[in-house]
Amino acid sequence: ELVRSFTNRHMTDLLYTEKDLVTSLKDYIKAEESKLEQVKQWAEKLDALTATATQDPEGFLGHPVNAFKLMKRLNTEWGEVEDLVLKDMSDGFISNLTIQRQYFPNDEDQTGAAKALLRLQDTYQLDTQTISSGDLPGEYDTMTVEDCFELGKTAYSDADYYHTELWMSQALKQLDEGEESSVEIVTVLDYLSYSVYQQGELEIALDHTKRLLSVDPEHQRALGNLKYFDYQLAKQKKAEKEQSVKEESKTEQEKTVGKGEYLPEKRKYEQLCRGQGVRMRRLLCRYYNSNRHPFYIIGPVKQEDEWDRPRIIRYHDIITEKEMEKVKELAKPRLRRATVHDPQTGKLTTAQYRVSKSAWLAAYEHPVVDRINQRIEDITGLDVKTAEELQVANYGVGGQYEPHFDFGRKDEPDAFKELGTGNRIATWLFYMSDVAAGGATVFTEVGAAVKPMKGTAVFWYNLFPSGEGDYSTRHAACPVLLGNKWVSNKWIHERGQEFRRPCGLKEAD
């Protein structure tokens, strides 16, 4: 994740900052070149003069003008050359750099960007070679050995030895192919052997260690590891031999336990994000007048079923380009790291599983926000006076929101107590940008995937008419692989819906 969760706007500002610094650096280079040219001209002039003078020193100094000029040069002009050589031409560049540095990302931000890349690699099953060599869609720089090494180190610092191995192997591959680098092959092999060992691949760890020692025979840690890996490997082979005897007595039934349809949620979420395992339904689309609402009888809205249970509805052309731009304009100055409700405290807090920036817009702030709120009320038939303010969120590359519920569960009774408006009965979500790749909203319990489409909105109920939570609404925002994702959502609460959506005894709609 990006720790300070830089939005595209902030990232764009950083690009222009870097462009300005490059211009400043070029000015500094020109100034240094001009200074060196002056020094060079002086040296060449004096080189020719001293060459002539030293051929006949007595004859040269016998001329009073030559004697005077020698005294003058040594007393005055060499001092001027000294001043020129010592003159610092970097003041302008260093001053600009100092001013701009306050906007620079820090170590945590770099780590966050690295983790975002690792997350995208996992979710979309991208191999290191494809990423490093520039074979992903879109224009980007290929990755150097240093880049691959830094990603490996980031993973290593998190004890993520799987990704450490992937990126150290890529760094090693590029070194073996002849790429010049300040990163030494010994250092890469050191990280690589240990990360492989931590994953139980002793033979491969031993091979990397032997190669390391062939480059640096005195490497103390590698010498110690060589003995240790040899010992552990012998121990492992003995244990495997004993285990294989026991395995033969196992039945096929025992061997296949756990190989059913069950998938851990994270894997299911990642599969849906890749478009795998998405279930299809024969659903309908229609023109909708919102129960003969006067406004929509004249101009009905385009309604499309995205899913049946839970019922997820998409509305097309439901927000105009001007409205979207105004909402973004209002939100941009106040975008902050998005928060979630902490079930322990009932308060808002940031979380690693939600990586985006968000802002809240009240109806009174601008007529556009008021108009959008009224539109949601007219179409859904629900009272939005007790709803939360319009939340605007921006997900940059790697931005995501892992599987979650919008409603408060029974084990967190105080989730929305401070609002005094009951639970979140329904969610309305506007898509305010198209996304080049990634960024889908997926419902992990039912296998549904809703792709971002600019100018559309999706709506679903989080609660059954009985007031019980609908656990099939568990959903997630997939990481943005390419592009920039803008959404805005309205969380509608129970209070005020007593006669608009009467309570029912049955849980199902």
Side-chain angles (χ1 to χ4, degrees):
E1 89 219 44
L2 299 182
V3 171
R4 279 189 280 174
S5 194
F6 287 102
T7 63
N8 255 38
R9 180 175 70 90
H10 294 111
M11 296 294 277
T12 301
D13 289 344
L14 289 178
L15 268 182
Y16 282 106
T17 295
E18 189 169 50
K19 188 174 188 294
D20 178 56
L21 286 174
V22 170
T23 302
S24 181
L25 184 59
K26 284 182 175 179
D27 290 341
Y28 161 65
I29 292 168
K30 284 179 185 176
E32 285 285 9
E33 286 175 341
S34 174
K35 181 178 100 171
L36 287 172
E37 186 59 33
Q38 292 177 62
V39 174
K40 183 181 175 184
Q41 288 174 5
W42 170 261
E44 287 174 350
K45 183 177 113 178
L46 266 295
D47 185 39
L49 181 65
T50 53
T52 304
T54 52
Q55 285 178 3
D56 181 12
E58 287 188 16
F60 180 82
L61 292 172
H63 197 293
V65 172
N66 287 341
F68 163 72
K69 291 189 77 169
L70 175 61
M71 296 298 142
K72 176 176 172 285
R73 282 197 304 276
L74 292 172
N75 184 50
T76 307
E77 294 179 18
W78 274 104
E80 291 171 357
V81 172
E82 181 184 19
D83 290 341
L84 180 60
V85 170
L86 292 173
K87 187 177 180 182
D88 191 350
M89 311 303 290
S90 66
D91 285 352
F93 170 68
I94 295 299
S95 175
N96 191 15
L97 184 62
T98 303
I99 292 167
Q100 300 289 6
R101 185 172 274 119
Q102 63 182 311
Y103 306 113
F104 281 15
N106 56 30
D107 287 345
E108 285 184 312
D109 299 319
Q110 181 179 325
T111 299
K115 287 182 180 179
L117 192 49
L118 297 179
R119 185 166 58 247
L120 289 170
Q121 182 180 11
D122 280 351
T123 303
Y124 298 107
Q125 291 187 338
L126 308 171
D127 66 84
T128 51
Q129 178 63 27
T130 299
I131 299 171
S132 181
S133 61
D135 289 337
L136 282 180
E139 291 183 20
Y140 67 99
D141 283 343
T142 55
M143 295 179 68
T144 62
V145 170
E146 285 84 354
D147 295 331
C148 298
F149 181 71
E150 281 301 319
L151 277 173
K153 276 209 312 183
T154 298
Y156 182 85
S157 66
D158 261 5
D160 176 1
Y161 300 114
Y162 169 70
H163 285 107
T164 305
E165 180 193 355
L166 289 181
W167 286 101
M168 290 301 173
S169 295
Q170 183 63 31
L172 182 63
K173 179 175 183 290
Q174 290 177 211
L175 284 170
D176 287 342
E177 289 171 351
E179 183 180 322
E180 292 185 7
S181 172
S182 60
V183 178
E184 295 182 354
I185 195 168
V186 166
T187 310
V188 175
L189 286 165
D190 196 15
Y191 276 102
L192 190 52
S193 62
Y194 187 75
S195 62
V196 169
Y197 158 69
Q198 284 289 346
Q199 295 175 83
E201 298 289 345
L202 280 167
E203 288 189 53
I204 300 172
L206 195 59
D207 288 342
H208 289 315
T209 304
K210 287 175 180 175
R211 184 176 174 189
L212 191 163
L213 288 168
S214 71
V215 179
D216 181 4
E218 303 302 318
H219 196 286
Q220 290 302 306
R221 184 164 50 249
L223 287 168
N225 285 346
L226 184 68
K227 293 177 183 176
Y228 180 72
F229 292 162
D230 264 331
Y231 165 73
Q232 287 291 335
L233 188 60
K235 192 176 172 184
Q236 185 187 75
K237 285 180 176 178
K238 183 181 177 183
E240 284 174 356
K241 190 176 180 181
E242 290 172 357
Q243 185 66 25
S244 65
V245 175
K246 293 177 184 177
E247 283 289 326
E248 288 173 6
S249 64
K250 281 191 176 182
T251 65
E252 285 301 309
Q253 185 180 0
E254 286 175 317
K255 289 180 183 179
T256 56
V257 166
K259 292 188 179 179
E261 291 187 2
Y262 173 75
L263 278 177
E265 185 177 58
K266 187 173 188 292
R267 280 186 61 194
K268 196 184 295 184
Y269 156 60
E270 290 176 349
Q271 280 190 353
L272 290 170
C273 288
R274 292 192 296 270
Q276 299 171 350
V278 175
R279 298 174 185 171
M280 306 302 292
R281 292 282 196 275
R282 291 185 64 184
L283 302 172
L284 304 172
C285 56
R286 64 193 69 80
Y287 283 103
Y288 179 66
N289 63 22
S290 189
N291 297 321
R292 299 188 63 77
H293 187 286
F295 187 80
Y296 295 109
I297 288 175
I298 299 168
V301 294
K302 300 170 186 173
Q303 190 188 70
E304 179 187 7
D305 296 330
E306 284 282 353
W307 205 254
D308 51 0
R309 286 181 180 274
R311 193 178 183 209
I312 306 165
I313 301 167
R314 190 194 293 264
Y315 294 94
H316 291 264
D317 303 321
I318 203 66
I319 184 170
T320 67
E321 184 71 36
K322 283 186 178 179
E323 287 172 333
M324 288 185 283
E325 289 308 308
K326 176 53 70 176
V327 168
K328 291 178 194 176
E329 181 189 319
L330 292 169
K332 280 176 182 177
R334 58 177 98 165
L335 285 170
R336 297 290 181 272
R337 177 73 186 271
T339 55
V340 297
H341 271 280
D342 185 332
Q344 303 299 321
T345 64
K347 295 181 179 179
L348 292 172
T349 182
T350 57
Q352 289 188 359
Y353 60 83
R354 187 178 190 187
V355 186
S356 65
K357 279 202 165 187
S358 68
W360 299 85
L361 303 180
Y364 64 80
E365 294 184 60
H366 198 279
V368 163
V369 182
D370 190 37
R371 188 161 69 240
I372 287 170
N373 286 345
Q374 188 60 52
R375 188 176 305 149
I376 295 170
E377 179 167 315
D378 292 342
I379 291 173
T380 63
L382 298 175
D383 189 346
V384 298
K385 292 184 185 66
T386 58
E388 293 171 52
E389 293 176 347
L390 188 70
Q391 183 181 216
V392 184
N394 178 219
Y395 296 80
V397 171
Q400 63 161 12
Y401 192 175
E402 289 182 5
H404 63 282
F405 299 105
D406 282 351
F407 63 89
R409 272 79 67 214
K410 288 180 178 178
D411 59 349
E412 42 179 12
D414 297 334
F416 306 109
K417 186 177 180 181
E418 60 193 44
L419 299 176
T421 53
N423 212 338
R424 287 173 175 166
I425 192 172
T427 297
W428 178 282
L429 177 66
F430 284 111
Y431 293 111
M432 300 195 299
S433 66
D434 291 314
V435 181
T441 306
V442 296
F443 291 75
T444 51
E445 291 298 309
V446 296
V450 180
K451 292 183 179 178
M453 289 175 60
K454 189 175 183 180
T456 71
V458 290
F459 172 78
W460 67 87
Y461 280 105
N462 296 306
L463 306 179
F464 292 116
S466 64
E468 292 292 316
D470 183 352
Y471 284 80
S472 69
T473 62
R474 189 166 175 84
H475 61 285
C478 295
V480 175
L481 178 58
L482 293 174
N484 185 26
K485 178 182 173 184
W486 282 92
V487 296
S488 59
N489 67 280
K490 195 80 173 169
W491 280 311
I492 304 168
H493 282 249
E494 290 177 293
R495 199 72 70 243
Q497 320 308 338
E498 292 83 357
F499 299 105
R500 295 174 182 247
R501 195 199 190 210
C503 179
L505 296 176
K506 293 182 180 179
E507 288 198 347
D509 289 327

